[in-house]
Structure formats: C-alpha cells, structure tokens
Amino acid sequence: GVQAGAARSALDRSPDRARQALLDIEASSRAAVGEMRQLLGVLAPLDGVAPPQPGLDAVPTLVERWRAAGLQVDVTLLGDPGSVAPTVSTCVYRIVEEALTNVSRHSAAGRAAVSVHVGRTVDVSITDPGPAGTSSAEPGSGRGLVGMRERVASCGGTLDVGRQPDGSFLVRASVLAVPT
C-alpha cells in the first residue's frame, strides 16, 4: 500500500521511480500470493482431503521424537485409545505435545513424565519435575497454555496447570472420551 501511494505520487514527476515501485509491488504481491497458497495448502489441501490429525496412538512416536532430541520422558498409557473420539484423541495429543514443548523450553530438569489413562474420561498429566530453567522465551510470550485451555474447553473438559508445592510444574486435563 505504501509503495502504491509512492508510485501514484511519483507517476507524473518521476516515471522511472513510479515504474520501479510498481515492479516492487508486483514482486511482493506475487510472493505474498505464493505464501498464502502454501499456507492454505497446509490448512486445506487442494484435493479437499485433509491429512489425518495425530491422536493418542501417536503419543509414543511423539515421545520418541522428544527422547531423540535429548529430553528424558517417562510415559504411561493405560486403557484403549481406540475407544476415544477422534477430536478428543487429537486434543489430548496436542496437550502432550505442547506440554513437552514447554518442558523443553522452560525447564532446567531435562525430563518429564507423561501419564494418559483412558476410561470414561481421558485423564492426562504431564509433570516437569522442575526447577524452571533459563529460556530466551519470555513467560507467557506464546499461546501454549491459552491454546491448551481453549482446546480442552472445546471438548468440554477441564485443565489445571501450575507450579506445585514441590517445585514441579503440572499440566493435567480431563476430557470425556466420547463427548455426549
């Protein structure tokens, strides 16, 4: 928009500057459209079939990726993940994913414990034994905890997060396995 205004005002006085501004507008517009197409391709592929979202069955793979990155993760999975509604399954996976990301970014411990129990509800907890570490990220600078709250609320569940008396940090969620 700024370049278009500059081109308009320079059109009569300096046609060469106006031409260059228009060429710059054209190049940046093409780049923006290409980036938008890429983004939309991720969100809604051209064939209309969205890739499957990860769920509880992918938690072990997620944990292995964090282990390969150097985070020590203990995991306990109890119950039948196949009995969980797909939206709930993805919700819980994303909570584990975000909580482990937070441990990686904000904890000095270098380890975490993940527990998932599937029954009538899916109860998940991720514990970072603490203490908080040093991080380039400012506390609250992202949307991790807010996103977790929104995700759990959309499934009608509850989320508790916070520092515990022993210095650990706990993320705990409970969601109906099959929403009513």
Side-chain angles (χ1 to χ4, degrees), residues 11-168:
L11 192 60
D12 294 330
R13 291 182 280 112
S14 180
D16 289 340
R17 284 183 55 193
R19 182 178 293 107
Q20 186 57 51
L22 290 171
L23 290 171
D24 291 345
I25 292 168
E26 180 182 15
S28 63
S29 296
R30 288 183 192 279
V33 168
E35 290 171 10
M36 185 62 70
R37 282 189 179 136
Q38 267 186 317
L39 177 62
L40 291 175
V42 168
L43 297 176
L46 293 177
D47 62 7
V49 178
Q53 293 296 307
L56 284 170
D57 58 333
V59 168
T61 303
L62 174 67
V63 167
E64 284 308 315
R65 283 199 313 261
W66 279 109
R67 286 177 178 157
L71 186 65
Q72 295 176 7
V73 184
D74 296 322
V75 63
T76 304
L77 299 171
L78 301 171
D80 177 16
S83 67
V84 177
T87 55
V88 173
S89 186
T90 297
C91 171
V92 173
Y93 174 90
R94 295 293 185 203
I95 290 167
V96 172
E97 181 180 48
E98 181 62 35
L100 291 177
T101 299
N102 287 346
V103 171
S104 168
R105 293 181 72 198
H106 302 292
S107 175
R111 67 184 197 278
V114 175
S115 173
V116 179
H117 181 264
V118 176
R120 189 172 109 20
T121 60
V122 180
D123 299 305
V124 59
S125 66
I126 302 90
T127 306
D128 159 14
T134 57
S135 171
S136 59
E138 292 295 319
S141 63
R143 290 197 25 93
L145 296 178
V146 171
M148 279 191 245
R149 284 193 194 290
E150 291 170 353
R151 192 175 291 279
V152 170
S154 75
C155 292
T158 59
L159 178 74
D160 296 308
V161 297
R163 184 88 32 217
Q164 303 300 296
D166 65 359
S168 65

